[in-house]
Amino acid sequence: HHCPWMNNCVGVGNLKHFILFLLYTWSCSVFSLILLGWNYFMCADEDCTFNGVLTQLVRAVTVLSIGALLFTSSMIMNVTFGLMTGIGTIDRLKKKANNTIAEAIEEPIPLKDVFGIGAYWTWLLPIDPLLEDHDRVMGYSTPQRLLREEMRDEPARVFSPSGLSKDMLSI
């Protein structure tokens, strides 16, 4: 579906990046609140006193951080619910409106279909995932991909310069 907050559509091709965006934003919000709280509650030195402008700035950053933390927390819960149930946000809202959510037949989405089959430490990096079965996860196959797999599986076949096999040219 289209995410107005990112001004982009979120789907199987960029779900990992959307989840990472939420996690990074949530982490930055928590970090800024910890820093502000530490400076406000733990600093007893005279150098820690805030003047009028700095106090207003700290209050504004605190309000923004709390807002970002609450918003990203709700979005992370929404995405987690979607992964656990296999029902996207729009579909869930439609099923809820029609009172058919109990009849849902969708299955949970495996994490390897979102984050790939690479090492677990790559899950937190903003790189495209290597999917175990790309066509199943994406829901389609491209002719180029099928031809590459055919060439890989049958290296003894002779291919013409156009990229078509002799069998394909004879059809």
Side-chain angles (χ1 to χ4, degrees), residues 118-152:
Y120 290 123
W121 61 269
T122 62
W123 286 15
L124 294 176
L125 299 176
I127 56 176
D128 288 334
L130 176 63
L131 301 173
E132 185 175 49
D133 186 358
H134 186 270
D135 297 341
R136 180 188 58 79
V137 173
M138 291 302 216
Y140 65 88
S141 298
T142 61
Q144 296 86 357
R145 181 177 179 81
L146 294 174
L147 186 60
R148 263 196 321 269
E149 289 178 2
E150 183 180 322
M151 290 172 61
R152 184 191 66 214

Side-chain angles (χ1 to χ4, degrees), residues 9-160:
C9 291
V10 178
V12 68
N14 62 355
L15 183 59
K16 174 185 176 181
H17 302 288
F18 180 66
I19 292 170
L20 291 179
F21 168 73
L22 292 174
L23 289 175
Y24 296 160
T25 306
W26 187 87
S27 300
C28 288
S29 299
V30 169
F31 184 68
S32 68
L33 286 171
I34 289 171
L35 286 179
L36 290 168
W38 179 269
N39 199 15
Y40 185 77
F41 292 112
M42 301 298 181
C43 193
D45 196 335
E46 275 187 29
D47 295 332
C48 294
T49 57
F50 296 131
N51 61 21
V53 174
L54 193 55
T55 301
Q56 298 304 320
L57 183 62
V58 167
R59 287 179 182 161
V61 171
T62 302
V63 168
L64 288 174
S65 294
I66 290 172
L69 179 71
L70 293 174
F71 178 74
T72 54
S73 295
S74 70
M75 291 299 292
I76 288 170
M77 287 187 282
N78 189 22
V79 170
T80 302
F81 182 80
L83 290 174
M84 290 171 50
T85 60
I87 304 173
T89 305
I90 303 298
D91 292 334
R92 188 178 75 245
L93 292 174
K94 286 180 181 178
K95 289 176 189 260
K96 198 174 189 180
N98 296 334
N99 207 13
T100 59
I101 200 156
E103 302 164 9
I105 58 170
E106 291 83 3
E107 296 194 12
I109 299 171
L111 290 179
K112 69 179 179 179
D113 288 353
V114 176
F115 294 102
I117 57 173
Y120 290 123
W121 61 269
T122 62
W123 286 15
L124 294 176
L125 299 176
I127 56 176
D128 288 334
L130 176 63
L131 301 173
E132 185 175 49
D133 186 358
H134 186 270
D135 297 341
R136 180 188 58 79
V137 173
M138 291 302 216
Y140 65 88
S141 298
T142 61
Q144 296 86 357
R145 181 177 179 81
L146 294 174
L147 186 60
R148 263 196 321 269
E149 289 178 2
E150 183 180 322
M151 290 172 61
R152 184 191 66 214
D153 293 341
E154 299 180 28
R157 287 181 84 178
V158 179
F159 287 88
S160 69

